[in-house]
Amino acid sequence: IAPRLVDFFSAERQRLGTKLSLAAEIHEITGIPEKALRGDALSNFSIKERRSWAERRNTTIEEDGAYCLIGICGVSMVLNYGEGRIHAFRRLEKEIHSLYKGMDFEQFAIPVNLASFPEAAQFVAREKELSKMHELLHGHSSRAAVVLYGLGGIGKTQLAIEYVRRHKEKHTAIFWLNANDEDSLRLSFRNIAQQVLKHHPSTRVLSGVDLEGDLDRVVNAVKAWLDLQGNTRWLVVYDNYDNPRISNNSDRSTVDVRQYLPGSDHGSIIITTRSARVTQGGRLHVQELADLEDGLKILANMSGREGIENDADAKALVSKLDGLPLALSTAGAYLEHVTTSFAEYLRLYEESWLELQKTSPTLNSYENRSLYTTWQVTYNRIRKQNAASAQLLKLWAYFDKQDVWFGLLRHARSADDEWIQKLTNDELSFNEAVRLLCEYGLAHAEPSLRQLSGSAGYGVHSCVHSWTVSVLNSEWDDGLTRLALTCVASEVPTTNIDKWWLLQRRLIQHVTRHAQFITNGNVDVEGIEWALQGLGNLYADQ
């Protein structure tokens, strides 16, 4: 593991290969992961996993079985040949605990209670995010906190669970809280109190508290225990903090997580949230999986179908689901017990989206949230804060998923809907509405598509767009279709305008969408024949 270059030779002095070329064989013999052999940071592997690498190693001197792990585990230890293998490993264990958990770790040690954690799916990718989390959380003398934020279903909870799995040996206690609402948070704190008292019944700050009584007192008592001097190596995860209390939000259902954070300047905290406005730690934006191979792994794991790496239909399905773990897991769960092919599933996804989602199995690893319900709660919260934002998301179904900008929507000012009028009144009103969608992860700016013709636009994830079509617009709205068609046609420039071709190319994806509406009979064009002329002119010019 340690040397960057290792060559292997036979007894006859024939070169067999290198550490990298023989990585698969070395892994099979030793159990050392290929990623470790290829130079991955050791911090990406748990202490338990690192210790397992030496389990089958034979050493000439018995103590070397333990001593060879000193550097691997990142500890310092005096070599004492003659102490025996068992004693050497006992000293190694003590040094590991002292390094990561502190000298007095035993009086604060609580075994991890997996029953309080959400169920985890088989984890895929996210190595960069895990390394960044470790950088933000480990090796600090003061409180360390990280905020994982992103679209619902993107895998924030799964990422937090994987971090806990890899680094649980570095903490004396790990607690998982449901921060969805205040009642869930209080009950989670009561669960922490029960765990602490189970293993340390004489704990003074908790022993006199009635756990069935005032839960606010329980919360304060648990915070006092976490604040104790010497109790510095705990990790608390505040999961699903999706309804944060923002200064100008008077909604009583919102949660102020600050009331539930310990006051001392020690310990580690992970917060998962859909809101980009949570700032109680180093912020890490969790985005869709970038590599097609990672999506194929999730699909293969969940469906039980192996050898799909080169399956063209599987690749097409993964591309359509655009790196969203919840969508990939849902597709895999559906395909596990049916004979439906990948191509047939993709056809059903495009033709009968809502019915397909409703008949898909529930996923325990996503707390029984389905693809068609997961964004509804967020949408309802957005609608409470700004109805124009909610109406913009509904209107988006009648445009392409990519590159919607104010200049395109300004032609909707004549609409009867007061919220669409407000949305398109001026650019500041549009920015206010779209910013709220971005803060909750339902939309995103698209600087990579920055156009020479006007300001940059905004996009929504492919699966979110399918949801806006099938759920928010479960009854097709001919009025909104005509309105969107009017916006697109009104923006088509004539060829005597400077750089007209750039704006026309920008509009092509929206024109193509409306061409489908027209040919499928999804829009009544009576009275707006001029719009068809505009679309036809664009096609002719291009």
Side-chain angles (χ1 to χ4, degrees):
I1 295 172
R4 189 169 61 87
L5 301 174
V6 182
D7 285 327
F8 289 89
F9 293 84
S10 71
E12 293 76 30
R13 302 189 180 187
Q14 293 296 312
R15 188 172 183 273
L16 301 175
T18 68
K19 177 171 76 167
L20 298 183
S21 68
L22 297 171
E25 289 87 345
I26 297 171
H27 165 67
E28 189 176 340
I29 296 165
T30 65
I32 300 171
E34 291 186 40
K35 289 187 292 184
L37 296 169
R38 297 184 190 280
D40 260 30
L42 290 176
S43 59
N44 291 334
F45 306 94
S46 69
I47 296 293
K48 182 179 179 181
E49 189 174 6
R50 284 181 249 174
R51 285 190 57 176
S52 72
W53 300 343
E55 281 179 359
R56 289 183 282 170
R57 182 178 179 192
N58 295 316
T59 58
T60 305
I61 303 173
E62 60 175 321
E63 292 89 350
D64 281 343
Y67 297 163
C68 72
L69 289 165
I70 291 174
I72 295 289
C73 295
V75 297
S76 297
M77 187 170 124
V78 176
L79 306 187
N80 182 18
Y81 288 107
E83 66 178 323
R85 178 184 174 87
I86 294 174
H87 195 265
F89 269 107
R90 195 174 295 149
R91 282 204 303 130
L92 177 67
E93 190 79 23
K94 185 177 179 181
E95 290 296 334
I96 291 170
H97 283 309
S98 297
L99 174 66
Y100 292 118
K101 300 181 180 181
M103 295 300 292
D104 302 322
F105 72 91
E106 288 182 350
Q107 62 178 305
F108 301 112
I110 310 289
V112 175
N113 178 20
L114 292 177
S116 65
F117 284 43
E119 186 172 317
Q122 191 168 349
F123 193 77
V124 168
R126 303 288 193 201
E127 294 300 331
K128 286 184 180 178
E129 291 91 337
L130 287 163
S131 294
K132 184 63 177 176
M133 289 175 69
H134 187 259
E135 178 187 322
L136 291 169
L137 290 172
H138 186 63
H140 302 280
S141 57
S142 56
R143 165 81 59 80
V146 62
V147 176
L148 305 177
Y149 71 97
L151 176 67
I154 206 71
K156 303 177 294 293
T157 297
Q158 301 293 316
L159 179 58
I161 292 172
E162 181 64 16
Y163 181 87
V164 168
R165 277 178 169 168
R166 293 195 183 186
H167 301 288
K168 59 181 180 289
E169 296 93 344
K170 299 173 184 175
H171 300 280
T172 50
I174 300 173
F175 302 114
W176 197 279
L177 309 181
N178 182 355
N180 188 55
D181 54 63
E182 301 234 16
D183 288 341
S184 298
L185 261 173
R186 292 189 183 104
L187 290 171
S188 295
F189 269 88
R190 184 175 70 180
N191 181 262
I192 293 177
Q194 290 170 338
Q195 290 183 60
V196 175
L197 288 172
K198 177 182 177 181
H199 298 282
H200 304 283
S202 59
T203 302
R204 192 165 32 173
V205 294
L206 285 168
S207 55
V209 178
D210 180 7
L211 300 186
E212 303 302 324
D214 184 355
L215 288 181
D216 285 329
R217 286 192 63 197
V218 176
V219 170
N220 290 330
V222 170
K223 286 166 61 180
W225 183 80
L226 293 169
D227 286 338
L228 288 174
Q229 187 175 6
N231 187 13
T232 62
R233 304 298 177 95
W234 47 260
L235 169 64
V236 179
V237 182
Y238 295 77
D239 191 29
N240 293 326
Y241 182 47
D242 296 331
N243 197 17
R245 184 162 300 160
I246 309 300
S247 56
N248 61 350
N249 190 347
S250 58
D251 186 354
R252 287 189 157 189
S253 67
T254 58
V255 179
D256 185 358
V257 77
R258 293 172 299 179
Q259 298 177 16
Y260 297 90
L261 297 177
S264 56
D265 191 21
H266 61 235
S268 301
I269 289 170
I270 297 174
I271 297 174
T272 74
T273 178
R274 299 183 183 190
S275 173
R277 299 186 69 178
V278 177
T279 57
Q280 277 78 26
R283 297 164 74 246
L284 186 57
H285 189 188
V286 183
Q287 298 176 291
E288 59 268 19
L289 298 170
D291 292 336
L292 190 72
E293 291 76 12
D294 295 331
L296 287 167
K297 285 179 186 175
I298 293 178
L299 190 61
N301 291 342
M302 295 298 293
S303 66
R305 301 185 184 188
E306 299 178 352
I308 67 172
E309 297 82 5
N310 298 312
D311 187 311
D313 293 332
K315 288 182 176 180
L317 176 57
V318 169
S319 296
K320 180 68 178 179
L321 301 182
D322 200 15
L324 186 72
L326 176 56
L328 292 160
S329 297
T330 300
Y334 182 93
L335 293 166
E336 183 181 12
H337 299 297
V338 295
T339 59
T340 304
S341 68
F342 294 120
E344 288 170 335
Y345 184 92
L346 182 55
R347 178 183 60 77
L348 291 170
Y349 184 92
E350 292 175 335
E351 294 178 3
S352 309
W353 191 91
L354 185 57
E355 187 177 350
L356 176 64
Q357 302 307 323
K358 284 184 174 180
T359 56
S360 295
T362 56
L363 298 170
N364 294 331
S365 54
Y366 284 88
E367 294 190 320
N368 296 320
R369 286 180 287 120
S370 63
L371 198 57
Y372 74 96
T373 62
T374 190
W375 300 306
Q376 189 66 47
V377 174
T378 303
Y379 175 76
N380 293 340
R381 287 169 182 161
I382 287 171
R383 189 167 53 186
K384 277 186 179 180
Q385 294 182 48
N386 187 349
S389 298
Q391 195 64 4
L392 170 59
L393 197 59
K394 185 174 182 181
L395 181 61
W396 215 308
Y398 302 91
F399 292 92
D400 188 75
K401 63 185 174 70
Q402 284 188 315
D403 201 17
V404 169
W405 72 101
F406 172 70
L408 179 62
L409 295 186
R410 61 192 167 93
H411 305 288
R413 288 177 188 151
S414 59
D416 295 332
D417 188 298
E418 65 169 308
W419 294 113
I420 290 181
Q421 290 176 4
K422 180 183 176 183
L423 169 70
T424 56
N425 185 50
D426 54 50
E427 194 163 1
L428 288 175
S429 300
F430 172 78
N431 288 345
E432 180 185 4
V434 77
R435 185 177 66 241
L436 188 58
L437 298 182
C438 291
E439 286 173 358
Y440 277 99
L442 288 177
H444 54 266
E446 293 188 318
S448 61
L449 295 177
R450 183 171 294 280
Q451 305 285 346
L452 296 174
S453 57
S455 59
Y458 296 85
V460 296
H461 190 279
S462 174
C463 296
V464 173
H465 195 248
S466 297
W467 172 75
T468 65
V469 172
S470 300
V471 178
L472 294 189
N473 292 277
S474 54
E475 294 184 7
W476 198 250
D477 191 320
D478 188 66
L480 289 182
T481 317
R482 287 168 63 91
L483 182 65
L485 175 56
T486 300
C487 288
V488 174
S490 299
E491 192 67 2
V492 175
T494 58
T495 56
N496 59 0
I497 292 176
D498 185 40
K499 296 183 179 178
W500 55 269
W501 62 89
L502 294 175
L503 180 54
Q504 284 199 3
R505 286 187 180 181
R506 189 175 188 182
L507 288 167
I508 282 179
Q509 58 202 15
H510 300 296
V511 172
T512 301
R513 183 157 178 77
H514 281 279
Q516 292 172 349
F517 294 160
I518 293 163
T519 54
N520 293 338
N522 293 336
V523 56
D524 177 12
V525 296
E526 186 176 348
I528 54 170
E529 288 82 3
W530 62 268
L532 304 191
Q533 179 68 32
L535 268 57
N537 287 341
L538 181 142
Y539 274 128
D541 294 337
Q542 290 295 321

